């Protein structure tokens, strides 16, 4: 039989590794040759999808690399097993649905947020709303701060760099996220994830829904000095 394990039965995140196992009952695997393929795809499709550091298509266990499958797609993997001595053959297939990330929502820096906040003092607000997910409808928000730029190129780096994470663990539905910023100029990003782990990272925008939010937080010393002059 062919099998894999995941948090949701037969559904996987496109950003995670996927080990696939080919189990043979009643025979020593040393006497069995294996061949993996993707049903309906070209003969080299499986090679492009696998993590070559773990194994190749003729291994008992193969690992699909992160990003090897398209979000929202469905794949049928087939394992063919042949006994090296008797030439007896068998095969097994398993279907894998790749979760599509949450879509359709927005992340807005509200007008209640100060234009020039004092570091770690003035509270700012991002409204996350309208996000939908095909699995169970529940999404999770993670607000991040990082260099101004495109969410597409910075999203992965921000996810892995804890110093950029401002708020995490806010649950599904429309959410008003409150936060403060350290001194400096920041781009703001929202990562929206579902229960399977598929995620989308977008830039937080101003209230027009188009202009990327770029916020400069003042140092506390500077703010105090200005108050003294007043």
């Amino acid at each position: 039989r062919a099998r894999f394990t995941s948090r949701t039965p037969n559904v996987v995140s496109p950003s995670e590794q996927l080990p696939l196992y080919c189990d043979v009952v009643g025979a020593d695997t040393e006497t069995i040759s294996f061949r993996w393929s993707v049903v309906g795809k070209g003969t080299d499709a499986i090679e492009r999808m696998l993590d070559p550091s773990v194994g190749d298509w003729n291994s008992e266990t193969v690992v699909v690399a992160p990003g090897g499958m398209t979000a929202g797609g469905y794949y049928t993997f087939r394992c063919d097993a042949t006994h090296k001595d008797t030439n007896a053959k068998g095969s097994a297939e398993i279907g894998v649905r790749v979760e599509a990330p949450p879509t359709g929502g927005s992340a807005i820096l509200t007008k209640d947020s100060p234009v020039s906040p004092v570091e770690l003092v003035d509270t700012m607000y991002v409204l996350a709303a309208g996000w939908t997910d095909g699995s169970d409808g529940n999404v999770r928000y993670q607000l991040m701060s990082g260099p101004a730029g495109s969410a597409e190129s910075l999203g992965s780096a921000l996810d892995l760099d804890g110093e950029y994470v401002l708020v995490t663990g806010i649950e599904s539905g429309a959410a008003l996220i409150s936060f403060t910023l350290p001194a400096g100029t920041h781009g703001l990003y929202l990562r929206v994830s579902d229960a399977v782990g598929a995620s989308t990272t977008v830039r937080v925008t101003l209230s027009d829904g188009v202009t990327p939010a770029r916020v400069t937080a003042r140092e506390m010393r500077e703010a105090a000095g200005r108050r003294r002059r007043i």
Side-chain angles (χ1 to χ4, degrees):
R1 65 170 183 162
R3 63 182 176 89
F4 69 94
T5 58
S6 61
R7 286 177 286 185
T8 302
N10 293 346
V11 180
V12 300
S13 167
S15 61
E16 296 179 348
Q17 283 186 330
L18 175 65
L20 296 168
Y21 307 93
C22 191
D23 299 328
V24 177
V25 179
D28 183 356
T29 56
E30 294 295 324
T31 65
I32 304 297
S33 63
F34 298 91
R35 179 182 179 87
W36 285 90
S37 59
V38 185
V39 177
K41 306 291 185 181
T43 55
D44 61 342
I46 189 70
E47 296 182 49
R48 296 195 304 268
M49 298 168 68
L50 297 183
D51 183 343
S53 67
V54 179
D56 56 21
W57 54 267
N58 59 1
S59 302
E60 179 182 0
T61 300
V62 295
V63 177
V64 179
M69 296 181 289
T70 302
Y74 185 88
Y75 297 82
T76 300
F77 291 93
R78 177 185 173 100
C79 175
D80 289 282
T82 303
H83 196 284
K84 297 176 183 177
D85 298 330
T86 65
N87 204 37
K89 300 179 184 293
S91 65
E93 295 182 356
I94 188 167
V96 178
R97 182 168 69 85
V98 187
E99 180 72 353
T103 59
S106 61
I108 304 293
L109 183 67
T110 71
K111 293 182 178 179
D112 295 332
S113 302
V115 175
S116 182
V118 177
E119 62 167 335
L120 306 178
V121 172
D122 290 336
T123 301
M124 308 190 71
Y125 304 92
V126 165
L127 178 63
W131 293 96
T132 59
D133 176 64
S135 58
D136 59 7
N138 292 319
V139 295
R140 184 181 182 92
Y141 300 117
Q142 183 179 39
L143 181 65
M144 299 175 289
S145 165
S150 72
E152 290 75 14
S153 62
L154 289 174
S156 296
L158 290 173
D159 293 346
L160 298 174
D161 194 336
E163 73 175 86
Y164 287 128
V165 177
L166 297 173
V167 178
T168 188
I170 296 174
E171 293 297 339
S172 61
L176 186 63
I177 306 168
S178 59
F179 62 100
T180 60
L181 286 170
T185 299
H186 306 268
L188 297 174
Y189 305 87
L190 186 72
R191 182 187 184 198
V192 188
S193 306
D194 63 15
V196 178
S199 66
T200 300
T201 302
V202 297
R203 288 176 291 187
V204 175
T205 68
L206 300 182
S207 57
D208 62 7
V210 177
T211 306
R214 184 182 177 92
V215 181
T216 299
R218 294 175 290 151
E219 292 185 0
M220 198 175 300
R221 298 192 302 272
E222 177 186 351
R226 291 184 180 180
R227 285 198 293 269
R228 285 196 295 271
R229 285 195 294 272
I230 292 174

